[in-house]
Amino acid sequence: LVFSIAAVWGIFSLYIRSHDESQMAVSIVDQGNAIQRLANETGASVNYVEKNGVIRHLSFNWSDATQQNTRLLVDDFLSRYADIFGIGDSKAQLTLIDSRQDQNGNTFTYRQIYQGVPVYGSALAFHVSTQGVLDWYEGGYIPDLSISVSPKINSEQALQIIQDQHGGEEILVVEEPELMIYDSRVFGVNGMIGTRLVWDQTIMTETSYLEYLIDANTGEIIQAQSALMEDLSYEIFDAHNQWWKI
């Protein structure tokens, strides 16, 4: 869904979306209030994309004359508008993993980490223009995250579950297993299975090269997909319609 806050706030503020309270505690009204506050403080409309309670895109213009450091500008924004994302303690949950500069400014990308455990696939990218204005965000994460990070099965048991899937076929561990938090909402998909603590394990056999996600409490195979990446040339366009070739 794509919204302009100036156009839809009157309707948007009338309801709270309820979608399985066990996995989506984020309050849409609180989220909307924070976006409205951002629009009021900047004096301009805020365009955004929301999917399953996750803000996937923001287009806006926000700056702070007292903050000249572009990285700290993003941190200040996250502290002030935490309700937009449903990440209560951004300093504790968001870790900077990449910083890039180009002719248009700086892009800072964060990863969500909860109690020391990374959120699988999470990334929140914020762009600060050369004029020192925070003007767009793109990303995926888990809002209002609350989960036990103590697994009931260990990595060796998870590997045995994978081995059982391949029968007597010999498997080679490509990467050491990593404990992670998985929720399909990170990728813009309805989170029907909820938020899970998982073991992320990549293995190789004579016939396959696979990444497994094993539920760290039940042993259920959440995902088994090819870990092979094809080398392709493709083009992407950012929020300002700037062209990039990869």
Side-chain angles (χ1 to χ4, degrees), residues 38 41-42 60-67 73 76-77 80-81 128-129 131-135:
L38 174 60
E41 291 187 3
T42 59
F60 59 107
N61 289 284
W62 185 83
S63 60
D64 184 348
T66 66
Q67 183 55 264
L73 180 70
D76 290 348
F77 174 81
R80 182 176 296 190
Y81 297 101
V128 181
S129 71
Q131 290 75 39
V133 176
L134 183 57
D135 54 8

Side-chain angles (χ1 to χ4, degrees), residues 209-226:
Y209 184 44
L210 299 169
E211 179 188 25
Y212 279 89
L213 297 181
I214 306 295
D215 190 303
N217 292 310
T218 67
E220 177 187 355
I221 298 175
I222 302 298
Q223 179 175 288
Q225 65 179 8
S226 174

Side-chain angles (χ1 to χ4, degrees), residues 75 78-83 85-95 110-115 142-145:
D75 291 343
L78 286 167
S79 296
R80 182 176 296 190
Y81 297 101
D83 286 346
F85 304 97
I87 299 177
D89 190 347
S90 60
K91 291 183 179 179
Q93 287 196 37
L94 299 182
T95 299
Y110 296 77
R111 188 183 201 185
Q112 187 179 16
I113 298 177
Y114 181 76
Q115 296 184 10
I142 305 175
D144 287 349
L145 180 56

Side-chain angles (χ1 to χ4, degrees), residues 95-122:
T95 299
L96 185 70
I97 58 172
D98 188 61
S99 175
R100 300 189 183 190
Q101 184 175 14
D102 58 30
Q103 66 271 24
N104 297 312
N106 294 274
T107 303
F108 301 96
T109 303
Y110 296 77
R111 188 183 201 185
Q112 187 179 16
I113 298 177
Y114 181 76
Q115 296 184 10
V117 179
V119 171
Y120 182 83
S122 64

Side-chain angles (χ1 to χ4, degrees), residues 180-193:
M180 306 194 81
I181 299 170
Y182 175 83
D183 191 315
S184 61
R185 288 179 293 161
V186 171
F187 308 99
V189 179
N190 193 337
M192 296 301 293
I193 68 169

